[in-house]
Short mmCIF file of all heavy atoms in Angstrom, two decimals:
data_model
loop_
_atom_site.label_atom_id
_atom_site.label_comp_id
_atom_site.label_asym_id
_atom_site.label_seq_id
_atom_site.Cartn_x
_atom_site.Cartn_y
_atom_site.Cartn_z
N GLN A 16 -277.99 39.78 4.31
CA GLN A 16 -277.19 38.65 4.77
C GLN A 16 -275.73 38.79 4.38
O GLN A 16 -274.84 38.51 5.18
CB GLN A 16 -277.76 37.34 4.19
CG GLN A 16 -279.11 36.95 4.78
CD GLN A 16 -279.62 35.64 4.25
OE1 GLN A 16 -279.29 35.22 3.13
NE2 GLN A 16 -280.45 34.95 5.04
N ALA A 17 -275.50 39.26 3.17
CA ALA A 17 -274.12 39.44 2.71
C ALA A 17 -273.56 40.80 3.07
O ALA A 17 -272.34 41.01 3.04
CB ALA A 17 -274.04 39.22 1.20
N GLY A 18 -274.43 41.76 3.40
CA GLY A 18 -273.97 43.11 3.69
C GLY A 18 -273.42 43.81 2.46
O GLY A 18 -272.53 44.65 2.56
N GLU A 19 -273.97 43.48 1.28
CA GLU A 19 -273.47 44.02 0.02
C GLU A 19 -274.57 44.71 -0.76
O GLU A 19 -275.75 44.41 -0.59
CB GLU A 19 -272.86 42.89 -0.83
CG GLU A 19 -271.69 42.19 -0.18
CD GLU A 19 -271.19 41.00 -1.00
OE1 GLU A 19 -271.91 40.60 -1.95
OE2 GLU A 19 -270.11 40.49 -0.68
N VAL A 20 -274.17 45.62 -1.63
CA VAL A 20 -275.10 46.35 -2.48
C VAL A 20 -274.80 46.04 -3.95
O VAL A 20 -273.64 46.10 -4.37
CB VAL A 20 -275.02 47.87 -2.25
CG1 VAL A 20 -275.95 48.62 -3.20
CG2 VAL A 20 -275.37 48.20 -0.81
N GLN A 21 -275.83 45.71 -4.70
CA GLN A 21 -275.70 45.49 -6.14
C GLN A 21 -276.47 46.56 -6.88
O GLN A 21 -277.62 46.85 -6.55
CB GLN A 21 -276.22 44.11 -6.53
CG GLN A 21 -276.11 43.81 -8.02
CD GLN A 21 -276.60 42.41 -8.36
OE1 GLN A 21 -277.00 41.66 -7.48
NE2 GLN A 21 -276.56 42.06 -9.63
N GLU A 22 -275.86 47.17 -7.87
CA GLU A 22 -276.50 48.22 -8.66
C GLU A 22 -277.16 47.64 -9.90
O GLU A 22 -276.58 46.82 -10.60
CB GLU A 22 -275.47 49.27 -9.09
CG GLU A 22 -274.81 50.02 -7.95
CD GLU A 22 -275.71 51.08 -7.35
OE1 GLU A 22 -276.75 51.40 -7.97
OE2 GLU A 22 -275.38 51.59 -6.26
N VAL A 23 -278.41 48.04 -10.14
CA VAL A 23 -279.08 47.77 -11.42
C VAL A 23 -278.97 49.07 -12.21
O VAL A 23 -279.65 50.05 -11.90
CB VAL A 23 -280.56 47.38 -11.22
CG1 VAL A 23 -281.22 47.08 -12.55
CG2 VAL A 23 -280.66 46.19 -10.28
N PRO A 24 -278.12 49.13 -13.23
CA PRO A 24 -277.70 50.42 -13.79
C PRO A 24 -278.70 51.07 -14.74
O PRO A 24 -279.44 50.40 -15.47
CB PRO A 24 -276.41 50.06 -14.55
CG PRO A 24 -276.61 48.63 -14.95
CD PRO A 24 -277.38 48.00 -13.83
N ASP A 25 -278.73 52.40 -14.67
CA ASP A 25 -279.32 53.28 -15.70
C ASP A 25 -280.80 53.04 -15.96
O ASP A 25 -281.28 53.30 -17.07
CB ASP A 25 -278.55 53.14 -17.01
CG ASP A 25 -277.09 53.52 -16.87
OD1 ASP A 25 -276.78 54.34 -15.99
OD2 ASP A 25 -276.26 53.01 -17.64
N ILE A 26 -281.57 52.61 -14.97
CA ILE A 26 -282.99 52.38 -15.24
C ILE A 26 -283.79 53.69 -15.26
O ILE A 26 -284.93 53.71 -15.70
CB ILE A 26 -283.61 51.40 -14.24
CG1 ILE A 26 -283.60 51.99 -12.82
CG2 ILE A 26 -282.89 50.07 -14.26
CD1 ILE A 26 -284.35 51.12 -11.84
N GLN A 27 -283.19 54.78 -14.76
CA GLN A 27 -283.89 56.05 -14.74
C GLN A 27 -283.25 57.07 -15.67
O GLN A 27 -283.61 58.24 -15.67
CB GLN A 27 -283.91 56.61 -13.30
CG GLN A 27 -284.83 57.79 -13.10
CD GLN A 27 -284.97 58.22 -11.65
OE1 GLN A 27 -285.98 58.77 -11.27
NE2 GLN A 27 -283.97 57.98 -10.83
N ILE A 28 -282.35 56.65 -16.52
CA ILE A 28 -281.55 57.59 -17.28
C ILE A 28 -282.34 58.26 -18.40
O ILE A 28 -282.00 59.37 -18.82
CB ILE A 28 -280.28 56.89 -17.84
CG1 ILE A 28 -279.22 57.93 -18.23
CG2 ILE A 28 -280.64 56.00 -19.03
CD1 ILE A 28 -277.88 57.33 -18.50
N ASP A 29 -283.40 57.64 -18.91
CA ASP A 29 -284.13 58.20 -20.04
C ASP A 29 -285.58 58.51 -19.70
O ASP A 29 -286.43 58.56 -20.58
CB ASP A 29 -284.04 57.28 -21.26
CG ASP A 29 -284.58 55.89 -20.95
OD1 ASP A 29 -284.83 55.59 -19.77
OD2 ASP A 29 -284.74 55.10 -21.90
N GLY A 30 -285.87 58.71 -18.41
CA GLY A 30 -287.24 59.03 -18.03
C GLY A 30 -287.42 59.01 -16.52
O GLY A 30 -286.52 58.61 -15.79
N ARG A 31 -288.57 59.41 -16.09
CA ARG A 31 -288.91 59.39 -14.66
C ARG A 31 -289.52 58.05 -14.30
O ARG A 31 -290.39 57.55 -15.02
CB ARG A 31 -289.90 60.51 -14.36
CG ARG A 31 -290.37 60.57 -12.91
CD ARG A 31 -291.20 61.82 -12.66
NE ARG A 31 -292.45 61.82 -13.41
CZ ARG A 31 -293.58 61.27 -12.98
NH1 ARG A 31 -293.61 60.65 -11.81
NH2 ARG A 31 -294.69 61.34 -13.70
N ILE A 32 -289.07 57.44 -13.21
CA ILE A 32 -289.57 56.13 -12.83
C ILE A 32 -290.11 56.17 -11.39
O ILE A 32 -289.81 57.08 -10.62
CB ILE A 32 -288.49 55.03 -12.93
CG1 ILE A 32 -287.40 55.25 -11.87
CG2 ILE A 32 -287.90 54.98 -14.32
CD1 ILE A 32 -286.45 54.07 -11.75
N SER A 33 -290.93 55.19 -11.06
CA SER A 33 -291.36 55.00 -9.68
C SER A 33 -290.26 54.25 -8.94
O SER A 33 -289.31 53.73 -9.53
CB SER A 33 -292.67 54.21 -9.64
OG SER A 33 -292.48 52.92 -10.16
N THR A 34 -290.39 54.16 -7.63
CA THR A 34 -289.43 53.40 -6.84
C THR A 34 -289.56 51.92 -7.15
O THR A 34 -290.65 51.36 -7.05
CB THR A 34 -289.66 53.62 -5.34
OG1 THR A 34 -289.64 55.02 -5.06
CG2 THR A 34 -288.59 52.93 -4.52
N PRO A 35 -288.49 51.24 -7.57
CA PRO A 35 -288.59 49.81 -7.90
C PRO A 35 -288.99 48.99 -6.68
O PRO A 35 -288.50 49.20 -5.57
CB PRO A 35 -287.17 49.46 -8.36
CG PRO A 35 -286.57 50.77 -8.77
CD PRO A 35 -287.16 51.78 -7.85
N VAL A 36 -289.89 48.02 -6.90
CA VAL A 36 -290.33 47.11 -5.84
C VAL A 36 -290.13 45.68 -6.30
O VAL A 36 -290.23 45.37 -7.49
CB VAL A 36 -291.82 47.35 -5.46
CG1 VAL A 36 -292.02 48.74 -4.92
CG2 VAL A 36 -292.74 47.11 -6.67
N PHE A 37 -289.84 44.79 -5.36
CA PHE A 37 -289.75 43.38 -5.69
C PHE A 37 -291.14 42.81 -5.96
O PHE A 37 -292.11 43.16 -5.30
CB PHE A 37 -289.13 42.59 -4.54
CG PHE A 37 -287.63 42.71 -4.44
CD1 PHE A 37 -287.06 43.45 -3.43
CD2 PHE A 37 -286.82 42.08 -5.36
CE1 PHE A 37 -285.69 43.56 -3.33
CE2 PHE A 37 -285.43 42.19 -5.27
CZ PHE A 37 -284.87 42.93 -4.25
N LEU A 38 -291.23 41.91 -6.92
CA LEU A 38 -292.44 41.13 -7.09
C LEU A 38 -292.58 40.16 -5.92
O LEU A 38 -291.60 39.84 -5.24
CB LEU A 38 -292.41 40.37 -8.42
CG LEU A 38 -292.47 41.24 -9.69
CD1 LEU A 38 -292.33 40.36 -10.93
CD2 LEU A 38 -293.75 42.04 -9.75
N HIS A 39 -293.79 39.68 -5.67
CA HIS A 39 -294.03 38.82 -4.52
C HIS A 39 -293.50 37.40 -4.72
O HIS A 39 -293.20 36.71 -3.74
CB HIS A 39 -295.53 38.75 -4.22
CG HIS A 39 -296.12 40.05 -3.77
ND1 HIS A 39 -296.60 40.99 -4.65
CD2 HIS A 39 -296.28 40.57 -2.53
CE1 HIS A 39 -297.06 42.03 -3.97
NE2 HIS A 39 -296.87 41.80 -2.69
#
């Protein structure tokens, strides 16, 4: 709606992660 991107920083910096998904 806003056409904007927000970064959630450094969640993968200290390990391997799965693709983040929204909770329902």
Side-chain angles (χ1 to χ4, degrees):
Q16 290 183 333
E19 299 175 348
V20 177
Q21 180 178 359
E22 297 283 347
V23 181
D25 300 333
I26 65 173
Q27 191 173 207
I28 199 168
D29 57 350
R31 178 173 65 87
I32 68 169
S33 64
T34 305
V36 297
F37 282 108
L38 293 176
H39 294 88

